[in-house]
Amino acid sequence: MRAELIRIEDPLKEKEKMELASRIIRCGGTVIFPTETVYGLGANGLDPEAAYNIYQAKGRPSDNPLILHIADMEMLGLVARNLGEKALKLAEVFWPGPLTMVFDKQDIVPAETTGGLSTVAVRMPGNEVARELIRLSDTPIAAPSANISGRPSITMWEDAVEEMGERVDAILLSEPSEVGLESTIVDMTEDIPVILRPGKIGLSELEAVVGPVRVDKAVLGQGDAPKAPGMKYTHYSPNASVYVIKGEGMVERILEEYQKYREEDPVIFAMEKHRQHYEGLKLYSLGATSLEAAKVLFSYLRKADREGHGIVLMENVGEDEVGLAVMNRAEKAAGGKLIYANSKGKMHKRNGVNRI
């Protein structure tokens, strides 16, 4: 099977193309489409067989729940119950946008979509192409990131065609993802909302709207396995070995590691302010801010593979809320291989994470 490629510039003016994509969804097929976070691999979220097709296309374990994407609040009531005042406040402020909320599910949502859970994760995307596709399909669309399971998420249609072109029915060719990181996920089934996956919308923004919010221990590398969609298994891993470097003396330690791994053609992911320290070395600039780093991280991991780099050495991008979300993804791509620049010991494990 070869995916039909459908170029979309203005979803409201290109009705015929959008109708074609929506017919594929209504018929149980799979369509890759843009969102502001990353590209999604979508199918009818209320159709068990269609949900199964998503798992097959990604090679994703079927107990890993999918996020339902909706076009309006009416669809939210169709799939979720026990919404509560806090959830409605968050929806009013952050939807459409990069926020996913977890609710008790309605019976109409099949177990195949929720990974067998009694809860459902729901998001209203900010991307106009995505929302128009959902509206025309007249159903919530289940959509994880549009990549083979375990690989870096996809933020450009070119990568979707290369990796998934033989696995899905259609791919919408549109703009690169604006945010570059998957949505923040918040569990709304508890009295105090719980962040299950960090993203662009951070703790302080959420608390400004609904008061106290806590962060799940699994996000902090503690406690049980993550409960959020897309966080349960290994993720974001390129073919290259990724090392994340933190702490005082970070730049000096990266220079040491670069020489150590020179035969493996290393590349450095660094913030623009440190560019001068790596003169003459292979460098991908992460930009000036954590937001810029978020936008390019996944595409850089894929670029490193295309260019044949065996090692990626990545700087800590910052301690602001978006920076922490970027580093959450980077550390997963690294498989927990962290280097603390003020430590000279051998790599060891603590709380299941490799550290140097």
Side-chain angles (χ1 to χ4, degrees):
M1 174 180 69
R2 183 66 182 172
E4 182 155 4
L5 305 183
I6 306 171
R7 184 175 295 278
I8 301 292
E9 295 182 3
D10 187 336
L12 300 181
K13 293 180 179 179
E14 297 173 282
K15 286 287 188 181
E16 190 172 324
K17 292 180 180 180
M18 294 300 299
E19 284 283 2
L20 171 59
S22 68
R23 283 198 299 273
I24 294 172
I25 294 290
R26 291 194 299 271
C27 292
T30 50
V31 177
I32 289 177
F33 62 95
T35 82
E36 73 278 20
T37 56
V38 298
Y39 270 69
L41 196 175
N44 184 347
L46 305 184
D47 179 346
E49 187 173 344
Y52 174 78
N53 291 338
I54 292 175
Y55 291 113
Q56 288 294 104
K58 279 183 66 76
R60 179 184 176 110
S62 60
D63 64 343
N64 204 0
L66 307 173
I67 292 175
L68 280 183
H69 292 68
I70 61 173
D72 51 45
M73 293 301 288
E74 184 177 348
M75 279 191 179
L76 177 61
L78 175 68
V79 300
R81 57 188 179 85
N82 300 330
L83 303 181
E85 182 181 357
K86 290 180 180 180
L88 295 177
K89 285 182 177 179
L90 289 176
E92 183 179 0
V93 173
F94 296 114
W95 278 0
L99 175 68
T100 294
M101 290 188 278
V102 176
F103 304 100
D104 295 322
K105 79 177 187 70
Q106 297 279 17
D107 291 341
I108 195 173
V109 182
E112 288 80 359
T113 295
T114 65
L117 300 177
S118 61
T119 54
V120 61
V122 187
R123 181 166 93 87
M124 187 187 297
N127 183 282
E128 291 185 2
V129 176
R131 287 204 313 281
E132 185 66 9
L133 177 63
I134 299 164
R135 280 193 289 265
L136 292 174
S137 300
D138 196 29
T139 185
I141 293 180
S145 55
N147 53 279
I148 292 174
S149 187
R151 293 278 295 153
S153 299
I154 284 175
T155 58
M156 301 186 296
W157 67 259
E158 293 90 343
D159 289 332
V161 172
E162 179 182 357
E163 183 157 302
M164 304 297 290
E166 302 287 345
R167 292 169 172 254
V168 299
D169 296 302
I171 301 175
L172 302 187
L173 316 183
S174 189
E175 295 296 318
S177 299
E178 179 183 352
V179 176
L181 290 182
E182 299 87 351
S183 59
T184 304
I185 298 179
V186 181
D187 185 353
M188 303 303 298
T189 65
E190 301 189 22
D191 291 338
I192 297 177
V194 183
I195 295 176
L196 302 181
R197 181 175 71 187
K200 181 183 178 183
I201 298 172
L203 177 67
S204 62
E205 292 178 273
L206 297 168
E207 290 190 327
V209 178
V210 295
V213 174
R214 66 182 181 87
V215 180
D216 186 61
K217 288 184 178 180
V219 173
L220 303 173
Q222 307 164 4
D224 298 329
K227 297 184 289 185
M231 295 288 280
K232 187 173 182 181
Y233 296 93
T234 301
H235 279 282
Y236 318 125
S237 299
N239 296 327
S241 293
V242 179
Y243 293 86
V244 173
I245 296 87
K246 294 183 173 183
E248 295 180 11
M250 175 179 67
V251 170
E252 291 77 9
R253 188 60 184 270
I254 287 177
L255 292 171
E256 291 178 14
E257 297 296 320
Y258 192 96
Q259 296 304 321
K260 174 181 173 182
Y261 289 112
R262 183 172 281 279
E263 291 186 1
E264 297 182 57
D265 193 14
V267 62
I268 298 167
F269 290 11
M271 300 302 289
E272 184 62 28
K273 65 183 178 181
H274 295 150
R275 174 187 287 274
Q276 72 273 17
H277 299 298
Y278 305 116
E279 191 73 30
L281 306 182
K282 294 181 179 179
L283 171 73
Y284 298 169
S285 173
L286 293 168
T289 67
S290 58
L291 282 171
E292 292 178 7
K295 190 168 185 176
V296 299
L297 174 62
F298 291 138
S299 62
Y300 277 2
L301 290 172
R302 290 178 171 275
K303 180 181 178 182
D305 279 350
R306 284 196 302 272
E307 296 187 351
H309 297 291
I311 297 289
V312 171
L313 302 170
M314 180 168 170
E315 288 188 351
N316 182 17
V317 305
E319 299 300 326
D320 63 293
E321 290 178 335
V322 175
L324 293 174
V326 173
M327 298 314 295
N328 170 270
R329 306 315 196 272
E331 290 176 20
K332 287 184 176 296
K337 295 189 291 293
L338 310 182
I339 298 175
Y340 285 90
N342 53 4
S343 171
K344 294 294 185 181
K346 295 182 179 180
M347 186 179 293
H348 61 282
K349 285 190 175 183
R350 187 172 67 204
N351 294 330
V353 177
N354 295 320
R355 304 173 188 272
I356 291 182

